[in-house]
Amino acid sequence: LPLFMGHRLCLLEELLDAIPDAAISLDFKVHRDSVLIDRVYAMFNERKRTEKLVWGSFDESTRKLCVAQHPDVATFFSLFG
């Protein structure tokens, strides 16, 4: 990725703080990680932004885990589930 050499991507927390009114769609690429799901939820919850979050995964078991752990958050569906 020579185009991005020397550039830093922002952390999710930094993004949430930089654009507090934006809706966020988050696709989990790490599958079936309940700790990660809880940590992401905590970031949104402490900023009172869970209503502006839509999350899920193309891995259906991960999407179901999101729903099971935090049913108050909107999810997108898996095309392959």
Side-chain angles (χ1 to χ4, degrees):
L1 301 172
L3 178 64
F4 298 106
M5 295 289 286
H7 294 277
R8 176 185 169 278
L9 293 175
C10 69
L11 300 175
L12 179 57
E13 293 168 314
E14 295 169 340
L15 178 69
L16 292 173
D17 293 339
I19 50 172
D21 295 326
I24 304 287
S25 175
L26 192 87
D27 181 7
F28 287 100
K29 300 298 185 187
V30 176
H31 302 306
R32 296 175 294 283
D33 188 336
S34 62
V35 173
L36 177 61
I37 291 168
D38 281 341
R39 289 181 68 193
V40 169
Y41 181 85
M43 285 184 221
F44 279 83
N45 191 46
E46 68 189 29
R47 290 165 177 82
K48 302 194 182 346
R49 300 228 0 230
T50 56
E51 75 284 349
K52 293 191 175 194
L53 170 62
V54 176
W55 67 6
S57 177
F58 285 106
D59 177 74
E60 181 63 10
S61 61
T62 300
R63 189 199 65 79
K64 286 180 178 179
L65 187 59
C66 290
V67 172
Q69 287 182 225
H70 301 287
D72 57 311
V73 177
T75 58
F76 58 84
F77 62 92
S78 167
L79 295 175
F80 308 107

